[in-house]
Amino acid sequence: MADNEELQIDEQDENTTTVNFKPSFVLIAIDTHSSMFHTKKNDDDDDDDETHAFKDALKACYEIADSLVLSTSRSNYNQFGIVLADEDQKASFIDVQNNLIDSIKFLKDKCSQSNEQLKANYERYADLDLAGFFLLCKKKFREISSAYYKRTLIYITNDDNPTKEDKQKKFTALSQAKSFEPNDINFKLVTMNKNFEISKFYNELFYLSSKGPITEELCLNKNALVEALSSKIILAYTKHKFNFYPFKGDRTRFLKVMRVNFIREAKLSNIHKASHDGKQLVKVKENASAQEPVRFRLQLNNEKIIELDSKDKYSIIANNLPLGFHLQYVSDRHSNFGIVIDQVSLLLLDPKEELDQHFNQFWLYCIEKNKVLVCLKKYRHPSEIRYVELIPKYANKQRLFLIKDIPFCEEYHVPRAVHIEKALSSNISEKQKQAIRDLIEKLSFDYEPTIFINPSYAKKKAYVKAKLLELPEEIVEDTTSNADQIDEQITEIVVDFQNLFNVSFAVQGQKRKLPTSRITKRQK
């Protein structure tokens, strides 16, 4: 039975490689100074006409937690907790290792309270013992039972002089802050006060860091705060460490590199049931012993050639090639632009690698000669090896390579050629040019990712979230324009276009009208 279980693990698809994820923990500290409760006009698209910084901070935390409830992998985000800058008995708000479902319910309840209620319940009237508060934050990190990779403390405050003119309080606060780095705590300062003067206190705190002076991050509204906190909590990509072997047949010399994979959006498919006990849904695999033996067939022209079982497949794909990238030769590009048969990754040099000049020499040669590095890749044991090309790129002020699989013959499909029967005359009048401009302008819009939604996915997501959180199901509105709406917007311009160019858009034969959902997907 143990052998079968090992085979199951080894037979996982190459694209589902499990990352040895080291958890990072984020502690969001929200100040309760009176400056956090000054009401202001709400710049965001919310129902309230007025808000204050404290409520914006709670709403930002709620939106981030709510977006993670259906995350498919724990390795896609860092767990976070919330503390309030107040006395010990009031400071604890949400523990880092709290159940996410409970945290969402708690934050939703707090966000539903009025500005006056939050001010009455949480505003701090006494001066803050900043040193004691920093010590409390360190204790919160020590209480975490899991081994952690990194700890981040984000302090949201509008008070630029927390110690006032008290030299003793300032000295003790800076002494506590000085111990952040030895305790692997990364301190971040976020303010919603555009008149925040960092020179009054926090400049000295930042100069204690060996990384040099750090400035505060200014967030004028809730949406900006969501973006700032999301960058520290939700991971945009994962890193996998490998070796790059530049000398064919020589496995003793190699460079340490990292493969970066961008995390895809969580998917929710074929969900018919949801948890009724408040627990997060998880995928459960059936017992291997209850399944039929997996069979693999090799065939040609629909005629069975040979049948294999799991053990046979394991033996075939097993090889002694070390994990990583093995350079085979340098050549022109093999895959055309836009031809992508698998998830695209980036290859970066490991920051700890000392032989960075060799990596740069490969990169510079490929740039100067317009070449690519053709390598064999192997990401896990056992695994079939595959040819990839490393295409030199420059992004985020860094030299890197784009990793693209080289397609086999049966994977390469050339799109059908589009033949234009009648070309437009090169002698275009000014009226015709203006008609083209008007049509383009009418079909143009300011792009925002949030305006495109998948209605089917959104409805499934709303249903499952309602069951998990024991709340009424959210109403999903499809805001994407369908074909009829677009036709209505451009009818007048299209008629002028037809008359000026003497063309007809009539369709030969009657076609079945597509459902709105399919039309929306095409537009997207």
Side-chain angles (χ1 to χ4, degrees):
M1 188 61 189
D3 293 339
N4 291 337
E5 291 177 353
E6 183 178 359
L7 283 176
Q8 280 193 339
I9 295 173
D10 291 334
E11 286 178 8
Q12 289 179 358
D13 184 78
E14 187 174 1
N15 292 329
T16 60
T17 304
T18 302
V19 184
N20 184 17
F21 177 72
K22 296 180 180 179
S24 297
F25 297 103
V26 178
L27 194 60
I28 301 174
I30 305 176
D31 197 5
T32 55
H33 185 262
S34 58
S35 59
M36 295 289 289
F37 295 91
H38 293 165
T39 55
K40 59 177 181 176
K41 185 177 180 180
N42 196 345
D43 297 331
D44 304 319
D45 297 329
D46 292 331
D47 296 333
D48 296 337
D49 293 330
E50 289 188 339
T51 184
H52 47 59
F54 184 82
K55 188 168 187 177
D56 282 346
L58 292 182
K59 283 187 173 182
C61 293
Y62 167 72
E63 285 194 17
I64 293 173
D66 186 62
S67 68
L68 298 175
V69 69
L70 295 178
S71 178
T72 56
S73 174
R74 167 63 189 87
S75 61
N76 290 0
Y77 64 92
N78 298 319
Q79 285 184 265
F80 71 95
I82 304 174
V83 293
L84 304 182
D86 208 326
E87 300 174 2
D88 289 3
Q89 60 269 25
K90 288 187 177 181
S92 295
F93 207 64
I94 294 178
D95 289 334
V96 173
Q97 293 183 304
N98 260 22
N99 180 280
L100 184 60
I101 302 296
D102 296 335
S103 299
I104 293 173
K105 292 179 180 178
F106 180 80
L107 286 171
K108 185 176 180 64
D109 176 65
K110 296 300 177 184
C111 292
S112 64
Q113 295 182 8
S114 66
N115 297 333
E116 293 74 18
Q117 285 177 307
L118 292 174
K119 178 180 172 68
N121 293 334
Y122 295 107
E123 183 178 8
R124 185 185 73 245
Y125 297 99
D127 292 337
L128 176 66
D129 180 8
L130 191 60
F133 179 66
F134 284 162
L135 180 61
L136 174 69
C137 293
K138 287 194 289 185
K139 288 180 179 178
K140 289 290 183 183
F141 280 122
R142 294 195 197 104
E143 292 172 359
I144 300 173
S145 57
S146 304
Y148 45 80
Y149 168 63
K150 186 169 61 176
R151 297 179 286 190
T152 302
L153 174 60
I154 304 175
Y155 189 31
I156 304 174
T157 181
N158 285 343
D159 183 14
D160 51 15
N161 190 15
T163 59
K164 303 300 184 285
E165 306 303 325
D166 193 320
K167 294 183 179 179
Q168 181 62 33
K169 285 187 176 181
K170 184 175 183 179
F171 174 78
T172 54
L174 292 176
S175 298
Q176 284 294 336
K178 192 175 181 179
S179 65
F180 283 158
E181 198 165 348
N183 284 276
D184 297 323
I185 298 176
N186 188 19
F187 182 78
K188 300 287 183 182
L189 179 65
V190 177
T191 182
M192 304 184 78
N193 177 14
K194 61 182 179 181
N195 298 317
F196 194 90
E197 295 185 29
I198 194 172
S199 59
K200 289 185 176 180
F201 171 77
Y202 288 98
N203 247 355
E204 293 185 52
L205 187 152
F206 289 138
Y207 270 104
L208 295 175
S209 171
S210 61
K211 299 177 183 178
I214 307 173
T215 58
E216 79 282 8
E217 189 164 355
L218 178 62
C219 301
L220 295 179
N221 53 39
K222 184 256 300 177
N223 289 340
L225 190 57
V226 169
E227 185 176 348
L229 297 180
S230 297
S231 64
K232 310 296 188 300
I233 296 172
I234 303 175
L235 306 183
Y237 54 83
T238 57
K239 295 179 180 178
H240 308 248
K241 292 187 177 182
F242 290 101
N243 293 333
F244 173 65
Y245 298 90
F247 305 105
K248 193 173 182 179
D250 186 355
R251 299 175 182 174
T252 61
R253 293 182 291 172
F254 56 83
L255 300 177
K256 295 179 180 179
V257 294
M258 295 187 301
R259 177 172 64 98
V260 175
N261 281 74
F262 288 88
I263 297 173
R264 297 176 179 178
E265 183 181 0
K267 294 183 178 180
L268 189 65
S269 304
N270 301 323
I271 296 296
H272 300 289
K273 295 182 179 180
S275 170
H276 291 275
D277 56 3
K279 295 182 180 180
Q280 190 171 4
L281 296 177
V282 295
K283 293 182 180 179
V284 179
K285 293 185 178 180
E286 295 181 8
N287 193 332
S289 61
Q291 297 178 349
E292 291 293 330
V294 180
R295 313 297 292 183
F296 303 92
R297 293 178 180 178
L298 296 177
Q299 61 182 24
L300 180 64
N301 296 330
N302 297 324
E303 296 181 4
K304 186 172 67 173
I305 304 298
I306 190 173
E307 193 173 81
L308 308 172
D309 59 16
S310 298
K311 189 173 182 180
D312 294 327
K313 181 187 176 184
Y314 181 94
S315 301
I316 291 173
I317 66 176
N319 54 72
N320 61 353
L321 195 70
L323 300 184
F325 300 87
H326 301 258
L327 180 61
Q328 302 300 298
Y329 55 88
V330 180
S331 74
D332 297 327
R333 284 194 61 165
H334 287 267
S335 64
N336 294 333
F337 294 92
I339 303 297
V340 180
I341 61 173
D342 196 5
Q343 183 179 1
V344 177
S345 307
L346 300 178
L347 188 72
L348 288 70
L349 184 70
D350 191 328
K352 298 180 181 178
E353 176 60 73
E354 297 178 355
L355 303 176
D356 59 337
Q357 68 274 16
H358 298 304
F359 185 89
N360 290 333
Q361 286 174 1
F362 280 111
W363 188 87
L364 286 171
Y365 180 85
C366 291
I367 288 291
E368 293 172 356
K369 305 295 183 180
N370 195 23
K371 301 291 183 180
V372 298
L373 305 180
V374 177
C375 303
L376 283 175
K377 74 168 183 181
K378 184 178 178 182
Y379 290 157
R380 60 190 303 279
H381 285 303
S383 170
E384 55 187 12
I385 56 179
R386 176 120 196 182
Y387 280 97
V388 297
E389 56 183 349
L390 306 183
I391 307 168
K393 299 290 181 181
Y394 187 79
N396 294 332
K397 300 180 181 179
Q398 191 172 10
R399 295 171 177 177
L400 47 85
F401 287 93
L402 187 69
I403 307 171
K404 286 190 67 176
D405 284 6
I406 298 177
F408 293 112
C409 293
E410 68 273 11
E411 296 172 329
Y412 191 85
H413 302 283
V414 180
R416 291 182 300 174
V418 179
H419 299 284
I420 302 176
E421 296 181 358
K422 181 181 178 182
L424 293 174
S425 172
S426 58
N427 299 322
I428 301 178
S429 66
E430 189 60 37
K431 286 186 176 180
Q432 290 174 321
K433 290 181 182 178
Q434 187 59 43
I436 295 174
R437 294 190 191 100
D438 292 341
L439 183 60
I440 293 174
E441 183 179 354
K442 200 69 176 179
L443 291 173
S444 301
F445 58 92
D446 293 331
Y447 170 75
E448 291 182 14
T450 54
I451 68 176
F452 291 112
I453 65 170
N454 182 333
S456 177
Y457 170 74
K459 290 177 181 177
K460 290 179 181 179
K461 182 177 178 181
Y463 170 76
V464 175
K465 282 177 60 177
K467 296 299 182 182
L468 288 174
L469 302 175
E470 298 176 349
L471 295 171
E473 185 175 341
E474 297 178 3
I475 299 175
V476 177
E477 296 182 5
D478 184 5
T479 58
T480 310
S481 299
N482 58 31
D484 293 335
Q485 291 173 322
I486 295 176
D487 288 344
E488 186 178 345
Q489 293 173 6
I490 65 174
T491 297
E492 184 177 347
I493 296 176
V494 170
V495 171
D496 292 340
F497 190 93
Q498 288 176 302
N499 294 333
L500 287 169
F501 287 94
N502 193 25
V503 295
S504 175
F505 297 137
V507 180
Q508 296 293 333
Q510 186 67 25
K511 286 191 175 182
R512 181 174 62 88
K513 187 176 180 180
L514 292 174
T516 304
S517 59
R518 290 187 59 189
I519 295 173
T520 302
K521 289 182 180 178
R522 286 190 173 187
Q523 286 181 337
K524 290 168 66 179

